[in-house]
Amino acid sequence: MYTTSTPYNEFDKYDEPRLHMERLMRVRLFDFDLPIRILIPLDDAGIRTLGDLTKQTKKSLLKIKSLGRISVEKLINFLAYHNLRLAE
C-alpha cells in the first residue's frame, strides 16, 4: 500500500543542475538565434546540437568549409553567453 523511497522514485534536488545541463546539450543549434551562414556549415559537418558544438575545438571548427575565423569567434561568444566553451 505504501511505497518506500528508493533512488528510482526519489527526486534529488542536487541532480537538477545536471539534468538541466543534459537537456541543454541536446538542444538543436537551429533553435538558437544563430546566423544561417554559420548553421548550415555546422549541420553539414554533423554538428547539430549544443553538445556536439562543445565537443569541438577551435582548430576543428576552422577546418569546416565555409566557416571562417569571424564565425568561429561568434560561436565562442555564443557559448560563453551560455557559460559553455569549446573543447581544449
Side-chain angles (χ1 to χ4, degrees):
M1 178 177 235
Y2 296 102
T3 61
T4 60
S5 64
T6 64
Y8 300 111
N9 64 6
E10 184 179 305
F11 178 73
D12 184 2
K13 67 181 179 182
Y14 300 106
D15 267 354
E16 191 173 342
R18 181 186 58 81
L19 295 172
H20 173 73
M21 189 57 69
E22 287 176 2
R23 184 194 239 154
L24 185 62
M25 289 295 133
R26 290 191 304 261
V27 175
R28 292 182 51 83
L29 292 174
F30 277 96
D31 294 340
F32 293 100
D33 190 27
L34 288 169
I36 199 75
R37 65 181 172 80
I38 293 175
L39 291 171
I40 297 298
L42 288 176
D43 191 58
D44 290 345
I47 303 167
R48 294 179 176 89
T49 65
L50 193 54
D52 294 339
L53 181 59
T54 59
K55 293 175 186 172
Q56 303 300 312
T57 63
K58 184 175 181 177
K59 188 175 182 178
S60 67
L61 289 176
L62 287 170
K63 290 181 181 179
I64 297 173
K65 185 177 181 180
S66 301
L67 201 64
R69 183 181 48 81
I70 294 173
S71 296
V72 171
E73 290 300 323
K74 281 188 181 276
L75 288 170
I76 290 170
N77 292 335
F78 164 75
L79 288 173
Y81 177 79
H82 293 285
N83 294 320
L84 299 168
R85 60 188 167 129
L86 295 173
E88 296 294 318

